[in-house]
Coordinates of all heavy atoms in Angstrom, one line a residue:
E272 N -3.1 43.1 -5.9 CA -1.8 42.4 -6.1 C -1.8 41.1 -5.3 O -1.3 40.1 -5.8 CB -0.7 43.3 -5.5 CG -0.3 44.5 -6.4 CD 0.2 44.0 -7.8 OE1 1.0 43.1 -7.8 OE2 -0.2 44.6 -8.8
R273 N -2.4 41.1 -4.1 CA -2.4 39.9 -3.3 C -3.2 38.8 -4.0 O -2.8 37.7 -4.1 CB -3.1 40.2 -2.0 CG -3.2 39.1 -1.0 CD -1.9 38.7 -0.4 NE -2.1 37.8 0.8 CZ -1.1 37.4 1.5 NH1 0.1 37.8 1.3 NH2 -1.3 36.6 2.5
R274 N -4.3 39.2 -4.6 CA -5.2 38.2 -5.3 C -4.4 37.6 -6.6 O -4.5 36.5 -6.9 CB -6.5 38.8 -5.7 CG -7.4 39.1 -4.6 CD -8.7 39.8 -5.0 NE -9.5 38.9 -5.8 CZ -10.5 39.4 -6.5 NH1 -10.9 40.6 -6.5 NH2 -11.2 38.5 -7.2
L275 N -3.7 38.5 -7.3 CA -3.0 38.0 -8.5 C -1.9 37.0 -8.1 O -1.6 36.1 -8.8 CB -2.4 39.2 -9.2 CG -3.3 40.0 -10.1 CD1 -2.6 41.3 -10.6 CD2 -3.7 39.1 -11.3
D276 N -1.3 37.2 -6.9 CA -0.3 36.3 -6.4 C -0.7 34.9 -6.2 O 0.0 34.0 -6.3 CB 0.4 36.9 -5.1 CG 1.3 38.0 -5.3 OD1 1.7 38.2 -6.5 OD2 1.5 38.8 -4.4
I277 N -2.0 34.7 -6.0 CA -2.5 33.4 -5.7 C -3.1 32.7 -6.9 O -3.7 31.7 -6.8 CB -3.5 33.3 -4.5 CG1 -4.8 34.0 -5.0 CG2 -3.0 33.9 -3.3 CD1 -6.0 33.8 -4.0
T278 N -2.9 33.3 -8.1 CA -3.4 32.7 -9.3 C -2.5 31.6 -9.9 O -2.8 31.1 -10.9 CB -3.8 33.7 -10.4 OG1 -2.7 34.5 -10.6 CG2 -5.0 34.5 -9.9
G279 N -1.4 31.3 -9.3 CA -0.6 30.2 -9.6 C -1.2 29.0 -8.9 O -1.8 29.1 -7.8
T280 N -1.0 27.8 -9.4 CA -1.6 26.6 -8.8 C -0.6 25.4 -8.9 O 0.4 25.4 -9.7 CB -2.9 26.1 -9.5 OG1 -2.6 25.8 -10.9 CG2 -3.9 27.2 -9.5
V281 N -0.8 24.4 -8.1 CA -0.1 23.1 -8.2 C -1.1 22.0 -8.3 O -2.1 22.0 -7.6 CB 0.9 22.9 -7.1 CG1 0.2 23.0 -5.7 CG2 1.7 21.6 -7.2
T282 N -0.9 21.1 -9.3 CA -1.7 19.9 -9.4 C -0.9 18.7 -9.1 O 0.2 18.5 -9.7 CB -2.2 19.8 -10.9 OG1 -3.0 21.0 -11.2 CG2 -3.0 18.6 -11.1
G283 N -1.4 17.9 -8.1 CA -0.7 16.7 -7.7 C -1.4 15.5 -8.2 O -2.6 15.4 -8.2
V284 N -0.6 14.5 -8.7 CA -1.1 13.3 -9.3 C -0.4 12.1 -8.6 O 0.8 12.1 -8.5 CB -0.9 13.2 -10.8 CG1 -1.5 11.9 -11.3 CG2 -1.6 14.4 -11.5
D285 N -1.2 11.1 -8.1 CA -0.6 9.9 -7.6 C -1.6 8.8 -7.8 O -2.8 9.0 -7.8 CB -0.3 10.1 -6.1 CG 0.8 9.1 -5.7 OD1 0.5 7.9 -5.3 OD2 2.0 9.5 -5.7
I286 N -1.1 7.6 -7.8 CA -2.0 6.4 -8.1 C -2.6 5.8 -6.8 O -3.5 5.1 -6.8 CB -1.3 5.3 -8.9 CG1 -2.3 4.4 -9.6 CG2 -0.3 4.5 -8.0 CD1 -1.7 3.6 -10.7
S287 N -2.0 6.2 -5.6 CA -2.4 5.7 -4.4 C -3.4 6.6 -3.6 O -3.0 7.7 -3.3 CB -1.1 5.4 -3.5 OG -1.5 5.2 -2.1
Q288 N -4.5 6.0 -3.3 CA -5.5 6.8 -2.6 C -5.1 7.1 -1.2 O -5.3 8.2 -0.7 CB -6.9 6.1 -2.6 CG -8.0 6.8 -1.9 CD -9.3 6.2 -2.0 OE1 -9.5 5.4 -3.0 NE2 -10.2 6.5 -1.1
H289 N -4.5 6.1 -0.5 CA -4.0 6.3 0.8 C -3.0 7.4 0.9 O -3.0 8.3 1.8 CB -3.4 5.0 1.3 CG -2.7 5.1 2.7 ND1 -3.4 5.3 3.8 CD2 -1.4 5.1 3.0 CE1 -2.5 5.4 4.8 NE2 -1.3 5.2 4.4
R290 N -2.0 7.4 0.0 CA -1.0 8.4 0.0 C -1.5 9.8 -0.4 O -1.0 10.8 0.1 CB 0.2 8.0 -0.9 CG 1.0 6.8 -0.3 CD 1.9 6.2 -1.3 NE 3.0 7.0 -1.7 CZ 4.1 7.2 -1.1 NH1 4.3 6.6 0.1 NH2 5.0 8.0 -1.5
L291 N -2.5 9.8 -1.3 CA -3.1 11.1 -1.6 C -3.9 11.7 -0.4 O -3.9 12.9 -0.2 CB -4.1 10.9 -2.8 CG -3.6 11.0 -4.2 CD1 -4.7 10.7 -5.2 CD2 -2.9 12.3 -4.5
S292 N -4.4 10.8 0.4 CA -5.1 11.3 1.7 C -4.0 12.0 2.6 O -4.3 13.0 3.2 CB -5.7 10.1 2.4 OG -6.7 9.6 1.7
T293 N -2.8 11.5 2.6 CA -1.8 12.1 3.4 C -1.4 13.5 2.8 O -1.2 14.4 3.5 CB -0.5 11.2 3.4 OG1 -0.8 9.9 3.9 CG2 0.6 11.9 4.2
C294 N -1.4 13.5 1.4 CA -1.1 14.8 0.7 C -2.2 15.9 1.2 O -1.9 17.0 1.5 CB -1.2 14.7 -0.8 SG 0.2 13.8 -1.5
R295 N -3.4 15.5 1.1 CA -4.5 16.4 1.4 C -4.4 16.8 2.9 O -4.6 18.0 3.2 CB -5.9 15.7 1.2 CG -7.1 16.5 1.5 CD -8.3 15.8 1.1 NE -8.5 14.5 1.8 CZ -9.3 13.6 1.5 NH1 -10.2 13.7 0.4 NH2 -9.4 12.4 2.1
S296 N -4.1 15.9 3.8 CA -4.0 16.3 5.2 C -2.8 17.3 5.4 O -3.0 18.2 6.2 CB -3.7 15.0 6.0 OG -4.8 14.1 5.9
L297 N -1.7 17.1 4.7 CA -0.6 18.0 4.8 C -1.0 19.4 4.3 O -0.6 20.4 4.9 CB 0.6 17.5 4.1 CG 1.5 16.5 4.8 CD1 2.7 16.1 3.9 CD2 2.1 17.2 6.0
L298 N -1.6 19.4 3.2 CA -2.1 20.7 2.6 C -3.0 21.5 3.6 O -2.8 22.7 3.8 CB -2.8 20.5 1.3 CG -1.9 20.1 0.1 CD1 -2.8 19.6 -1.1 CD2 -1.0 21.3 -0.4

Side-chain angles (χ1 to χ4, degrees):
E272 287 296 321
R273 181 74 169 182
R274 291 176 66 191
L275 278 169
D276 284 339
I277 68 169
T278 52
T280 63
V281 57
T282 298
V284 179
D285 204 277
I286 202 166
S287 167
Q288 180 172 339
H289 171 70
R290 289 166 66 84
L291 276 176
S292 296
T293 302
C294 286
R295 181 175 57 192
S296 298
L297 273 179
L298 287 167

